[in-house]
Amino acid sequence: MMNYRISKRAAALAPSLTLAIDSKAKQMKAEGQDVVGFGAGEPDFDTPQHIKDAAVKALAEGFTKYTPSAGIPELRQAIADKFKRENGLSYKPSQIIVSCGGKHSCYNVVMATCQEGDEVIIPAPYWLSYPEMVKLAGATPVITQTSDRTEFKVTPDQLRQAITPRTRLFLLNSPSNPTGTVYSPAEIKALGDVCVEKGVLIMSDEIYEQLLYDGAVHKSVASMSPAHFEHTIVVHGFAKAWSMTGWRLGFLAAPEPVAKAIDAIQSHSTSNATSFAQKGAVAALNGPQDHLKGWLAEYDRRRTYAWKKLSSIPRISCVNSRGAFYLFPNISQTGLKSTDFCAKLLEQEKVAAVPGVAFGADDYIRISYATSMANIEKGMERIERFVKQLR
Ligand code: PLP
């Protein structure tokens, strides 16, 4: 018998807790049951037409071959221009790497900068792939816990206490998945100050940059000072603000030696992101951004409704989100932990939400409002009924 020994690296990965609920919800839907899905991590809007047109044109013109591993020059330039125009950051195109999704960009950063013996500080609640990426690199995730009492924000003191001589990287994600928290520019600067003082690199995942509400402001930690710039790798992608999740396109901007290392890793793993998709991405960055206004108004309407409704349910409390498209209500007063809560909610009321334990926070569940208002209204009624019958 063949021994299919799985590598320690792969065996150490946590199975996706979200998948069990997700596949159950899909199965129920396929059986014709009326399931309300709050699990989606993707916009429910279509990719804007001019972006699709650019990719279709590229295909028609035969732009179907390998490109440079780090991306076509035109796109790397468009990304450098975006950073200059919108973030006040001056990168050379050689510092920009285009990858197969923001997730791939994050993975490349961790792979290029972390190794055995290194520690990576990850504030919880975190995006669920971060700790697994760190483990894949052979490094150790160090989780700093936050809660709704501080709007899920890690403080400079907390960060300072978590830093050891082994700390290599600090993972910052604002606006945040799963909480929707947006750090103020002053808070971002203060966290960056600690990293600069201690010589810790920052991976700043800014993929939800454009999705802001209630006057929240996004400012990249890289833009705080030349020293902050030197300590930061910015990760971004096309999935959220241009609704291009299936296109698999992300990008990052890094100090030259890190960008070079990432280029080498990518050239031996995935090579370039899809050629004609990159042409679509050029159109996304250089073309009109009008679609965002309508999307943001709609997200905001749903967010306000869902937050008010959740806050009115006895034993549920919810910090309002200021960014992305998630709410992260606290369910601890119901007496249930998150997996149990979500499993029962799906079973009894046919509402799919993601248990907070997947994000390192078992007292919460994640609700995505990237779904129609009709779904949100129906789903909120059901959550209310579900919580009221719990004792
Ligand atoms: N970073 C965060 C915080 C995310 O929530 C996501 C997607 O959900 C990503 C990165 C990666 O997105 P993609 O790989 O689809 O570009």
Short mmCIF file of all heavy atoms in Angstrom, two decimals, residues 215-271:
data_model
loop_
_atom_site.label_atom_id
_atom_site.label_comp_id
_atom_site.label_asym_id
_atom_site.label_seq_id
_atom_site.Cartn_x
_atom_site.Cartn_y
_atom_site.Cartn_z
N GLY A 215 -18.08 58.76 7.15
CA GLY A 215 -16.95 59.69 7.12
C GLY A 215 -15.62 59.10 7.55
O GLY A 215 -14.66 59.84 7.81
N ALA A 216 -15.54 57.77 7.66
CA ALA A 216 -14.26 57.15 8.04
C ALA A 216 -13.21 57.46 6.97
O ALA A 216 -13.53 57.60 5.79
CB ALA A 216 -14.44 55.64 8.18
N VAL A 217 -11.97 57.59 7.42
CA VAL A 217 -10.87 57.95 6.52
C VAL A 217 -9.85 56.82 6.52
O VAL A 217 -9.49 56.30 7.58
CB VAL A 217 -10.18 59.25 7.01
CG1 VAL A 217 -8.94 59.58 6.18
CG2 VAL A 217 -11.17 60.40 6.99
N HIS A 218 -9.39 56.44 5.34
CA HIS A 218 -8.32 55.45 5.27
C HIS A 218 -7.01 56.16 4.96
O HIS A 218 -6.92 56.95 4.03
CB HIS A 218 -8.58 54.43 4.16
CG HIS A 218 -7.39 53.57 3.87
ND1 HIS A 218 -7.13 52.43 4.59
CD2 HIS A 218 -6.37 53.69 2.99
CE1 HIS A 218 -6.00 51.88 4.15
NE2 HIS A 218 -5.53 52.62 3.17
N LYS A 219 -5.99 55.86 5.77
CA LYS A 219 -4.67 56.39 5.45
C LYS A 219 -3.67 55.25 5.60
O LYS A 219 -3.63 54.57 6.62
CB LYS A 219 -4.33 57.55 6.39
CG LYS A 219 -3.27 58.47 5.82
CD LYS A 219 -3.50 59.90 6.30
CE LYS A 219 -2.28 60.81 6.14
NZ LYS A 219 -1.48 60.73 4.97
N SER A 220 -2.88 55.03 4.56
CA SER A 220 -1.93 53.92 4.60
C SER A 220 -0.82 54.21 5.60
O SER A 220 -0.28 55.32 5.64
CB SER A 220 -1.32 53.70 3.23
OG SER A 220 -0.34 52.68 3.31
N VAL A 221 -0.47 53.20 6.38
CA VAL A 221 0.64 53.35 7.33
C VAL A 221 1.93 53.71 6.60
O VAL A 221 2.78 54.43 7.14
CB VAL A 221 0.79 52.07 8.20
CG1 VAL A 221 1.18 50.85 7.37
CG2 VAL A 221 1.79 52.27 9.32
N ALA A 222 2.04 53.27 5.34
CA ALA A 222 3.26 53.56 4.57
C ALA A 222 3.42 55.05 4.32
O ALA A 222 4.53 55.53 4.05
CB ALA A 222 3.23 52.80 3.24
N SER A 223 2.32 55.81 4.40
CA SER A 223 2.38 57.24 4.05
C SER A 223 2.67 58.13 5.26
O SER A 223 2.68 59.35 5.14
CB SER A 223 1.05 57.65 3.40
OG SER A 223 0.01 57.61 4.36
N MET A 224 2.91 57.55 6.43
CA MET A 224 3.04 58.36 7.65
C MET A 224 4.39 59.07 7.76
O MET A 224 4.48 60.15 8.35
CB MET A 224 2.81 57.48 8.89
CG MET A 224 1.40 56.95 8.99
SD MET A 224 0.22 58.30 9.12
CE MET A 224 -1.34 57.42 9.02
N SER A 225 5.44 58.48 7.23
CA SER A 225 6.77 59.11 7.24
C SER A 225 7.67 58.25 6.37
O SER A 225 7.33 57.09 6.06
CB SER A 225 7.35 59.16 8.66
OG SER A 225 7.89 57.89 9.01
N PRO A 226 8.84 58.75 5.97
CA PRO A 226 9.77 57.92 5.19
C PRO A 226 10.13 56.63 5.93
O PRO A 226 10.28 55.57 5.31
CB PRO A 226 10.99 58.81 5.00
CG PRO A 226 10.44 60.20 5.06
CD PRO A 226 9.31 60.15 6.06
N ALA A 227 10.23 56.69 7.27
CA ALA A 227 10.58 55.48 8.03
C ALA A 227 9.43 54.47 7.97
O ALA A 227 9.65 53.27 7.81
CB ALA A 227 10.88 55.84 9.49
N HIS A 228 8.19 54.96 8.11
CA HIS A 228 7.04 54.05 7.99
C HIS A 228 7.03 53.40 6.60
O HIS A 228 6.78 52.21 6.45
CB HIS A 228 5.72 54.80 8.22
CG HIS A 228 5.50 55.23 9.65
ND1 HIS A 228 6.19 56.26 10.23
CD2 HIS A 228 4.65 54.75 10.61
CE1 HIS A 228 5.79 56.40 11.48
NE2 HIS A 228 4.85 55.50 11.74
N PHE A 229 7.30 54.22 5.59
CA PHE A 229 7.34 53.72 4.21
C PHE A 229 8.33 52.57 4.08
O PHE A 229 8.03 51.52 3.50
CB PHE A 229 7.73 54.89 3.29
CG PHE A 229 7.74 54.57 1.83
CD1 PHE A 229 6.54 54.47 1.12
CD2 PHE A 229 8.93 54.37 1.14
CE1 PHE A 229 6.54 54.18 -0.25
CE2 PHE A 229 8.94 54.08 -0.22
CZ PHE A 229 7.75 53.98 -0.91
N GLU A 230 9.51 52.74 4.67
CA GLU A 230 10.57 51.72 4.58
C GLU A 230 10.20 50.43 5.30
O GLU A 230 10.73 49.37 5.00
CB GLU A 230 11.87 52.26 5.23
CG GLU A 230 12.56 53.36 4.44
CD GLU A 230 12.98 52.90 3.06
OE1 GLU A 230 13.39 51.74 2.93
OE2 GLU A 230 12.88 53.70 2.11
N HIS A 231 9.31 50.54 6.29
CA HIS A 231 8.95 49.36 7.09
C HIS A 231 7.70 48.64 6.59
O HIS A 231 7.27 47.67 7.22
CB HIS A 231 8.71 49.78 8.56
CG HIS A 231 9.98 49.99 9.32
ND1 HIS A 231 10.78 51.08 9.13
CD2 HIS A 231 10.60 49.23 10.25
CE1 HIS A 231 11.83 51.00 9.93
NE2 HIS A 231 11.76 49.89 10.61
N THR A 232 7.10 49.14 5.50
CA THR A 232 5.77 48.64 5.14
C THR A 232 5.71 47.98 3.76
O THR A 232 6.33 48.46 2.82
CB THR A 232 4.74 49.80 5.17
OG1 THR A 232 4.78 50.41 6.46
CG2 THR A 232 3.33 49.30 4.88
N ILE A 233 4.95 46.91 3.71
CA ILE A 233 4.57 46.30 2.43
C ILE A 233 3.05 46.46 2.34
O ILE A 233 2.33 46.01 3.25
CB ILE A 233 4.93 44.80 2.40
CG1 ILE A 233 6.43 44.63 2.64
CG2 ILE A 233 4.50 44.16 1.08
CD1 ILE A 233 6.80 43.31 3.25
N VAL A 234 2.58 47.12 1.31
CA VAL A 234 1.14 47.34 1.16
C VAL A 234 0.57 46.26 0.23
O VAL A 234 1.11 46.03 -0.85
CB VAL A 234 0.82 48.73 0.57
CG1 VAL A 234 -0.69 48.91 0.41
CG2 VAL A 234 1.41 49.83 1.43
N VAL A 235 -0.49 45.61 0.70
CA VAL A 235 -1.18 44.61 -0.12
C VAL A 235 -2.55 45.15 -0.51
O VAL A 235 -3.23 45.81 0.29
CB VAL A 235 -1.35 43.29 0.67
CG1 VAL A 235 -2.27 42.32 -0.07
CG2 VAL A 235 0.00 42.64 0.92
N HIS A 236 -2.95 44.87 -1.73
CA HIS A 236 -4.24 45.36 -2.23
C HIS A 236 -4.75 44.37 -3.28
O HIS A 236 -4.07 43.38 -3.56
CB HIS A 236 -4.04 46.76 -2.85
CG HIS A 236 -5.20 47.68 -2.69
ND1 HIS A 236 -6.48 47.31 -3.05
CD2 HIS A 236 -5.29 48.95 -2.21
CE1 HIS A 236 -7.30 48.33 -2.80
NE2 HIS A 236 -6.60 49.34 -2.29
N GLY A 237 -5.91 44.65 -3.84
CA GLY A 237 -6.42 43.75 -4.88
C GLY A 237 -7.64 44.33 -5.56
O GLY A 237 -8.17 45.36 -5.14
N PHE A 238 -8.09 43.64 -6.59
CA PHE A 238 -9.20 44.13 -7.40
C PHE A 238 -10.55 43.54 -7.00
O PHE A 238 -11.58 43.88 -7.57
CB PHE A 238 -8.91 43.84 -8.88
CG PHE A 238 -7.75 44.64 -9.40
CD1 PHE A 238 -6.46 44.12 -9.39
CD2 PHE A 238 -7.93 45.94 -9.84
CE1 PHE A 238 -5.38 44.87 -9.84
CE2 PHE A 238 -6.85 46.70 -10.29
CZ PHE A 238 -5.58 46.17 -10.29
N ALA A 239 -10.53 42.62 -6.03
CA ALA A 239 -11.73 41.85 -5.71
C ALA A 239 -12.87 42.72 -5.17
O ALA A 239 -14.02 42.55 -5.57
CB ALA A 239 -11.39 40.76 -4.70
N LYS A 240 -12.55 43.62 -4.26
CA LYS A 240 -13.62 44.25 -3.48
C LYS A 240 -14.15 45.53 -4.12
O LYS A 240 -15.36 45.66 -4.31
CB LYS A 240 -13.13 44.54 -2.05
CG LYS A 240 -12.38 43.38 -1.40
CD LYS A 240 -13.21 42.14 -1.18
CE LYS A 240 -12.33 41.01 -0.60
NZ LYS A 240 -13.05 39.77 -0.38
N ALA A 241 -13.28 46.48 -4.45
CA ALA A 241 -13.76 47.78 -4.95
C ALA A 241 -14.16 47.74 -6.41
O ALA A 241 -14.83 48.65 -6.90
CB ALA A 241 -12.69 48.85 -4.72
N TRP A 242 -13.72 46.69 -7.13
CA TRP A 242 -14.11 46.58 -8.55
C TRP A 242 -14.90 45.28 -8.79
O TRP A 242 -15.15 44.92 -9.94
CB TRP A 242 -12.86 46.64 -9.44
CG TRP A 242 -12.16 47.96 -9.39
CD1 TRP A 242 -12.43 49.08 -10.13
CD2 TRP A 242 -11.06 48.33 -8.53
NE1 TRP A 242 -11.58 50.11 -9.78
CE2 TRP A 242 -10.73 49.68 -8.81
CE3 TRP A 242 -10.32 47.67 -7.54
CZ2 TRP A 242 -9.71 50.36 -8.14
CZ3 TRP A 242 -9.30 48.34 -6.88
CH2 TRP A 242 -9.01 49.67 -7.18
N SER A 243 -15.21 44.58 -7.71
CA SER A 243 -15.96 43.33 -7.79
C SER A 243 -15.36 42.37 -8.83
O SER A 243 -16.03 41.96 -9.77
CB SER A 243 -17.43 43.63 -8.13
OG SER A 243 -18.20 42.46 -7.91
N MET A 244 -14.11 42.02 -8.62
CA MET A 244 -13.40 41.14 -9.57
C MET A 244 -12.88 39.90 -8.85
O MET A 244 -11.76 39.43 -9.13
CB MET A 244 -12.27 41.93 -10.24
CG MET A 244 -12.77 43.04 -11.15
SD MET A 244 -11.50 44.22 -11.65
CE MET A 244 -10.50 43.22 -12.75
N THR A 245 -13.68 39.37 -7.94
CA THR A 245 -13.20 38.23 -7.13
C THR A 245 -12.73 37.05 -7.98
O THR A 245 -11.69 36.46 -7.72
CB THR A 245 -14.31 37.74 -6.17
OG1 THR A 245 -15.53 37.65 -6.90
CG2 THR A 245 -14.50 38.70 -5.02
N GLY A 246 -13.51 36.72 -9.02
CA GLY A 246 -13.18 35.56 -9.83
C GLY A 246 -12.03 35.79 -10.81
O GLY A 246 -11.52 34.84 -11.40
N TRP A 247 -11.62 37.04 -10.97
CA TRP A 247 -10.54 37.35 -11.90
C TRP A 247 -9.19 36.93 -11.34
O TRP A 247 -8.23 36.77 -12.07
CB TRP A 247 -10.49 38.85 -12.19
CG TRP A 247 -11.65 39.41 -12.93
CD1 TRP A 247 -12.97 39.38 -12.57
CD2 TRP A 247 -11.60 40.13 -14.17
NE1 TRP A 247 -13.73 40.03 -13.50
CE2 TRP A 247 -12.91 40.52 -14.49
CE3 TRP A 247 -10.56 40.52 -15.03
CZ2 TRP A 247 -13.23 41.24 -15.64
CZ3 TRP A 247 -10.87 41.24 -16.17
CH2 TRP A 247 -12.19 41.59 -16.47
N ARG A 248 -9.11 36.79 -10.01
CA ARG A 248 -7.89 36.47 -9.30
C ARG A 248 -6.77 37.45 -9.60
O ARG A 248 -5.79 37.13 -10.27
CB ARG A 248 -7.44 35.02 -9.57
CG ARG A 248 -8.49 33.95 -9.35
CD ARG A 248 -9.26 34.08 -8.01
NE ARG A 248 -8.38 34.10 -6.86
CZ ARG A 248 -8.50 34.97 -5.86
NH1 ARG A 248 -9.47 35.88 -5.85
NH2 ARG A 248 -7.68 34.93 -4.84
N LEU A 249 -6.91 38.64 -9.10
CA LEU A 249 -5.89 39.68 -9.31
C LEU A 249 -5.66 40.48 -8.04
O LEU A 249 -6.59 41.12 -7.53
CB LEU A 249 -6.35 40.65 -10.40
CG LEU A 249 -6.12 40.27 -11.85
CD1 LEU A 249 -6.75 41.33 -12.75
CD2 LEU A 249 -4.64 40.12 -12.18
N GLY A 250 -4.44 40.44 -7.56
CA GLY A 250 -4.07 41.27 -6.42
C GLY A 250 -2.75 41.95 -6.73
O GLY A 250 -2.12 41.67 -7.74
N PHE A 251 -2.35 42.87 -5.85
CA PHE A 251 -1.06 43.51 -6.07
C PHE A 251 -0.46 43.95 -4.74
O PHE A 251 -1.15 44.02 -3.72
CB PHE A 251 -1.17 44.68 -7.05
CG PHE A 251 -2.14 45.78 -6.67
CD1 PHE A 251 -1.74 46.88 -5.93
CD2 PHE A 251 -3.48 45.71 -7.05
CE1 PHE A 251 -2.63 47.91 -5.61
CE2 PHE A 251 -4.38 46.73 -6.74
CZ PHE A 251 -3.95 47.82 -6.02
N LEU A 252 0.84 44.21 -4.77
CA LEU A 252 1.50 44.71 -3.57
C LEU A 252 2.58 45.69 -3.97
O LEU A 252 3.03 45.70 -5.12
CB LEU A 252 2.09 43.55 -2.76
CG LEU A 252 3.15 42.67 -3.41
CD1 LEU A 252 4.54 43.26 -3.29
CD2 LEU A 252 3.14 41.28 -2.78
N ALA A 253 2.98 46.50 -3.00
CA ALA A 253 4.09 47.43 -3.18
C ALA A 253 5.03 47.24 -2.00
O ALA A 253 4.59 47.24 -0.85
CB ALA A 253 3.57 48.86 -3.23
N ALA A 254 6.31 47.06 -2.30
CA ALA A 254 7.25 46.69 -1.23
C ALA A 254 8.60 47.38 -1.44
O ALA A 254 8.92 47.78 -2.57
CB ALA A 254 7.44 45.17 -1.24
N PRO A 255 9.39 47.48 -0.37
CA PRO A 255 10.77 47.91 -0.55
C PRO A 255 11.46 47.00 -1.59
O PRO A 255 11.14 45.80 -1.66
CB PRO A 255 11.38 47.73 0.85
CG PRO A 255 10.21 47.83 1.78
CD PRO A 255 9.06 47.23 1.03
N GLU A 256 12.37 47.56 -2.34
CA GLU A 256 12.97 46.86 -3.49
C GLU A 256 13.44 45.43 -3.20
O GLU A 256 13.10 44.50 -3.95
CB GLU A 256 14.12 47.71 -4.06
CG GLU A 256 14.49 47.41 -5.48
CD GLU A 256 13.70 48.24 -6.51
OE1 GLU A 256 13.66 49.48 -6.39
OE2 GLU A 256 13.12 47.61 -7.40
N PRO A 257 14.22 45.18 -2.11
CA PRO A 257 14.70 43.80 -1.90
C PRO A 257 13.57 42.80 -1.66
O PRO A 257 13.65 41.65 -2.09
CB PRO A 257 15.57 43.92 -0.63
CG PRO A 257 15.85 45.36 -0.46
CD PRO A 257 14.73 46.11 -1.08
N VAL A 258 12.50 43.25 -1.00
CA VAL A 258 11.35 42.36 -0.75
C VAL A 258 10.61 42.11 -2.07
O VAL A 258 10.25 40.97 -2.38
CB VAL A 258 10.40 42.97 0.31
CG1 VAL A 258 9.17 42.08 0.51
CG2 VAL A 258 11.13 43.18 1.63
N ALA A 259 10.43 43.15 -2.87
CA ALA A 259 9.74 42.99 -4.16
C ALA A 259 10.51 42.00 -5.03
O ALA A 259 9.93 41.14 -5.70
CB ALA A 259 9.60 44.34 -4.86
N LYS A 260 11.84 42.11 -5.01
CA LYS A 260 12.68 41.21 -5.82
C LYS A 260 12.52 39.76 -5.37
O LYS A 260 12.39 38.85 -6.19
CB LYS A 260 14.16 41.60 -5.62
CG LYS A 260 14.80 42.16 -6.87
CD LYS A 260 16.20 42.55 -6.59
CE LYS A 260 17.08 42.12 -7.76
NZ LYS A 260 18.42 42.66 -7.61
N ALA A 261 12.51 39.55 -4.05
CA ALA A 261 12.35 38.19 -3.51
C ALA A 261 10.99 37.62 -3.89
O ALA A 261 10.86 36.45 -4.24
CB ALA A 261 12.52 38.22 -1.99
N ILE A 262 9.95 38.47 -3.81
CA ILE A 262 8.60 38.01 -4.15
C ILE A 262 8.51 37.68 -5.64
O ILE A 262 7.91 36.68 -6.03
CB ILE A 262 7.56 39.07 -3.73
CG1 ILE A 262 7.48 39.12 -2.20
CG2 ILE A 262 6.19 38.78 -4.35
CD1 ILE A 262 6.61 40.21 -1.64
N ASP A 263 9.15 38.48 -6.46
CA ASP A 263 9.18 38.20 -7.90
C ASP A 263 9.79 36.82 -8.14
O ASP A 263 9.29 36.02 -8.94
CB ASP A 263 9.97 39.30 -8.61
CG ASP A 263 9.82 39.24 -10.13
OD1 ASP A 263 8.99 38.44 -10.62
OD2 ASP A 263 10.53 39.99 -10.83
N ALA A 264 10.89 36.53 -7.43
CA ALA A 264 11.56 35.23 -7.61
C ALA A 264 10.64 34.09 -7.18
O ALA A 264 10.50 33.09 -7.89
CB ALA A 264 12.86 35.21 -6.80
N ILE A 265 9.99 34.25 -6.03
CA ILE A 265 9.07 33.20 -5.55
C ILE A 265 7.96 32.98 -6.57
O ILE A 265 7.65 31.85 -6.96
CB ILE A 265 8.45 33.59 -4.18
CG1 ILE A 265 9.51 33.52 -3.08
CG2 ILE A 265 7.26 32.68 -3.83
CD1 ILE A 265 9.04 34.04 -1.73
N GLN A 266 7.39 34.08 -7.03
CA GLN A 266 6.26 33.96 -7.95
C GLN A 266 6.69 33.35 -9.29
O GLN A 266 5.96 32.57 -9.89
CB GLN A 266 5.62 35.34 -8.16
CG GLN A 266 4.34 35.27 -8.95
CD GLN A 266 3.46 36.48 -8.76
OE1 GLN A 266 3.02 36.76 -7.65
NE2 GLN A 266 3.18 37.20 -9.82
N SER A 267 7.90 33.68 -9.72
CA SER A 267 8.36 33.17 -11.02
C SER A 267 8.56 31.66 -10.98
O SER A 267 8.55 31.01 -12.02
CB SER A 267 9.64 33.88 -11.45
OG SER A 267 10.72 33.45 -10.64
N HIS A 268 8.71 31.10 -9.77
CA HIS A 268 8.88 29.65 -9.66
C HIS A 268 7.63 28.94 -9.13
O HIS A 268 7.65 27.75 -8.87
CB HIS A 268 10.06 29.31 -8.74
CG HIS A 268 11.38 29.63 -9.37
ND1 HIS A 268 11.83 29.02 -10.52
CD2 HIS A 268 12.33 30.53 -9.03
CE1 HIS A 268 13.00 29.52 -10.86
NE2 HIS A 268 13.33 30.45 -9.97
N SER A 269 6.56 29.70 -8.92
CA SER A 269 5.34 29.05 -8.44
C SER A 269 4.19 29.25 -9.43
O SER A 269 3.92 28.38 -10.25
CB SER A 269 4.98 29.52 -7.03
OG SER A 269 5.04 30.93 -6.94
N THR A 270 3.58 30.42 -9.42
CA THR A 270 2.42 30.63 -10.31
C THR A 270 2.81 31.27 -11.64
O THR A 270 2.03 31.23 -12.59
CB THR A 270 1.40 31.57 -9.65
OG1 THR A 270 2.07 32.80 -9.37
CG2 THR A 270 0.87 30.97 -8.38
N SER A 271 3.97 31.92 -11.73
CA SER A 271 4.29 32.86 -12.82
C SER A 271 3.26 33.99 -12.82
O SER A 271 2.68 34.28 -11.79
CB SER A 271 4.33 32.16 -14.17
OG SER A 271 5.36 31.20 -14.19
#
